[in-house]
Structures are given as C-alpha cells and as structure tokens.
Amino acid sequence: MKTVTKAPSGKPRLTTSAMIASIAAEGQKTKPAPFGHALVKLARTRSEVIGMTADLGKYTDLHIFGKEFPDRYYQMGMAEQLLFGAASGLAAEGFMPFATTYAVFASRRAYDFIHQTIAEESRNVKIVCALPGLTSGYGPSHQATEDLALFRAMPNMTVIDPCDAHEIEQAVPAIAAHHGPVYMRLLRGQVPVVLDEYGYEFELGKAKLIRDGKDALIISSGLLTMRALEAAKVLADDRVDVGVLHVPTIKPLDADTILREAGKSGRLVVVAENHTVIGGLGEAIAGLLMRSGIHPTFRQIGLPDEFLDAGALPTLHDQYGISAAAVAKQIKGWL
C-alpha cells in the first residue's frame, strides 16, 4: 500500500515507502500471492513440479510453495546463472522447474544461460519473474523495461504477460500443460482481481476481447489491460466508446484475433504495454498489421526508450503515461 503524508501545501505527498507499493488502487479487490497458491495446487497433482529461486522466495511468492513442499524447494542463493543452469539439468531428468527471480535478473544477468541451456535445448522450465516493467520504484537496476523484447527474440520461448490475480491462477496450470520453456511476468503480493468481472478465462496463445467499442480499440497486456479497462470507463463518461483486447501471450501472438479486431474500420488502434516501446507488444503488432496489409490509425502507449527515474510508483505511472488517467487523456487527445 502507498504511504501518504501532508506536504506544506496541504496536498498528499507520497513517501519513499510507496516505491514498493502495491499496484492495487485504493479499495480495489485483491488476492494474496496468487502464483504461490496456484503452484501449490498444481504440485499436489504433479509430482514433477519443483520450485527454485535465487534468494527471492519471499519476493516472488514462492515461499508459499516452499512451506508446503520443502523437499521440492531449491534455494540457490544469489546466483541466477546457477539457478537457470540447474533448472535446465533438472528438467533434463524429467522434473518441471518453476524458477523465480526478478525480471531484470533473468533478462539481463542470466540471459545467455537461459538461451543456451534452456531455450536451445527446449527444456521444460517455467521462468516466472516479478517486478516486470515499471512495477518497482527503485530505478533502472530493478525496472525490467525491456524483458519482453529480449525473450521475444529467443527461439523456442513462449512469453506470457498476465493481467491480474485471476489470470495468474489460470496461467500456472496452463503453462505447466505446455511442454517447453516459458517466460511469464509475475505480479506478486496483494494482486488486483479484475478480469473475473468479465467472465474471462486464460487460454495459452489466445487474445480475448474484454469489451468492444466503436471509437477506439486498446490492445494491451499485463498491468496495462487493467489500466485500459479503467481508462475505458473514464472515457465512457465523455461518450467515447473504447474496446479492450487483452493479449496475455506475447509470443506466439494470436494473429487471427488481432487482425480481425484491428481490421474493423473507423476506429483508432492503440497498443498499451508496461514495457519500453522498443521491441515489445506494440512493435510486434505493428509488424503483424503491416505484413497483413491492415493499416488502421495506430498509436502506442508504453515506457520511453530511456532509463527511468526512481520514485513512488503512482507518480512514475503518471509521469510515464501508464496510469489509467494518463491512458485516458492520451486516447482522448488522439481522437
């Protein structure tokens, strides 16, 4: 939760503890540690499932699994390269490792080990990483703003960016049913619950139209689907009708659904993502549209191609244009 004090002006002022704030809005429904609980449920029926982490069990919600299955829980210490090399070896022996760390450490510190020992060998390792995109206020050392671009480029790698607790719970058994390496972004702690209101069900490789709209279509993933739905409600008050197409599987893309929805004439298409505008969902969709001969009015909402500031998350989300209010303002300005 964010901590607030009064500034001399009398306005609320966020303190530094808000740098590790939950992404949940005030009063928003949440679930605690959906990944940890979903993995425990899966492991009760799949004896090959093991949990591995690099000194971050508590901060990736894997400690819940460790408490339930201490003999299947491997704490590898602050050694991410060792974590993924060992996960590959265990997968080669028939286990299904769920390996967790922060997204910056998997995508930057251990990239070559994942590339060579997991992806090239198509090992059945599930890489589940917290603090994706701008979900940490601790600056570039902890902000994984380019992880999707890096893992999209890796052959054999399936890439998932779930929106909320409801989807994380469904994604865990789905990625376990898929044989092969998976990179999944993780929202941890008290995670908002949003998609249950729409009767949503996660399917690996499938995009889902959450709501339709005649004026604009937001194509989004992860946290930005949550913000897109909030922005659509705000814009509806101004008689702007906005649809939201949620794309949780970044690779492989659901080309058929994206082309069908983006190809409807007469509306603005906006791709929104919690990731740099370089190499992520936006450019993946732009390339798909161009290659398919579909040319809507197209815009991107994402993080800039720069090292981001440290600070309180609500402030940073406004600053970099990914808060619900900022998303609504940008779309209204484009229409």
Side-chain angles (χ1 to χ4, degrees):
M1 299 298 292
K2 61 187 178 183
T3 302
V4 178
T5 60
K6 289 289 185 179
S9 63
K11 295 180 179 180
R13 178 175 61 193
L14 295 168
T15 67
T16 54
S17 62
M19 292 166 70
I20 53 172
S22 166
I23 61 167
E26 194 71 30
Q28 188 173 32
K29 182 170 66 172
T30 63
K31 276 191 176 183
F35 167 69
H37 291 296
L39 191 60
V40 165
K41 183 178 179 181
L42 174 71
R44 287 175 181 152
T45 62
R46 301 285 297 267
S47 61
E48 73 274 27
V49 169
I50 60 175
M52 306 181 70
T53 190
D55 202 37
L56 288 171
K58 181 179 178 181
Y59 300 100
T60 59
D61 295 336
L62 192 67
H63 67 295
I64 294 168
F65 176 90
K67 184 177 180 181
E68 186 80 11
F69 298 103
D71 294 338
R72 295 158 65 179
Y73 176 72
Y74 295 84
Q75 170 54 269
M76 306 303 289
M78 297 176 69
E80 289 80 11
Q81 296 170 345
L82 172 63
L83 166 67
F84 293 112
S88 175
L90 285 163
E93 296 302 315
F95 293 97
M96 186 193 299
F98 278 72
T100 75
T101 183
Y102 287 161
V104 287
F105 300 147
S107 62
R108 303 206 299 250
R109 186 170 299 172
Y111 186 88
D112 191 49
F113 282 71
I114 295 170
H115 187 283
Q116 293 299 109
T117 70
I118 295 175
E120 186 176 1
E121 301 297 327
S122 200
R123 295 274 163 82
N124 196 27
V125 178
K126 315 307 174 185
I127 302 163
V128 182
C129 292
L131 301 188
L134 185 52
T135 53
S136 166
Y138 284 107
S141 66
H142 283 65
Q143 293 162 346
T145 60
E146 63 281 283
D147 60 321
L148 297 180
L150 289 166
F151 281 109
R152 274 186 65 230
M154 191 180 290
N156 291 335
M157 186 65 67
T158 295
V159 181
I160 310 292
D161 188 14
C163 167
D164 70 343
H166 179 74
E167 185 162 44
I168 290 169
E169 289 175 336
Q170 296 182 354
V172 168
I175 65 175
H178 168 79
H179 188 83
V182 175
Y183 174 76
M184 186 173 89
R185 284 177 145 198
L186 176 65
L187 302 175
R188 58 156 302 273
Q190 293 292 334
V191 181
V193 184
V194 176
L195 295 178
D196 60 327
E197 298 178 17
Y198 300 89
Y200 175 85
E201 292 186 7
F202 174 82
E203 292 182 72
L204 189 65
K206 296 295 183 183
K208 298 287 181 75
L209 187 67
I210 307 298
R211 58 175 289 162
D212 209 351
K214 61 180 175 59
D215 297 318
L217 175 69
I218 303 174
I219 304 176
S220 55
S221 68
L223 169 63
L224 260 292
T225 291
M226 196 183 308
R227 299 292 179 248
L229 290 167
E230 294 167 1
K233 292 177 181 178
V234 170
L235 290 165
D237 293 337
D238 291 332
R239 298 183 179 180
V240 178
D241 191 18
V242 176
V244 177
L245 178 65
H246 178 46
V247 185
T249 306
I250 309 299
K251 182 185 177 184
L253 279 177
D254 182 355
D256 290 343
T257 301
I258 292 167
L259 292 174
R260 182 183 69 242
E261 295 299 329
K264 293 180 180 178
S265 62
R267 62 180 179 179
L268 172 71
V269 172
V270 178
V271 178
E273 58 186 322
N274 176 31
H275 184 270
T276 172
V277 293
I278 305 297
L281 180 65
E283 290 194 346
I285 290 177
L288 173 65
L289 296 177
M290 289 293 289
R291 289 190 298 270
S292 303
I294 294 175
H295 308 292
T297 301
F298 181 89
R299 298 288 185 272
Q300 279 184 265
I301 292 174
L303 302 172
D305 179 26
E306 62 189 60
F307 294 109
L308 307 184
D309 292 338
L313 277 181
T315 301
L316 294 175
H317 286 186
D318 280 334
Q319 177 180 336
Y320 292 113
I322 64 169
S323 67
V327 170
K329 182 178 179 181
Q330 290 173 85
I331 291 174
K332 193 172 180 180
W334 288 326
L335 290 171

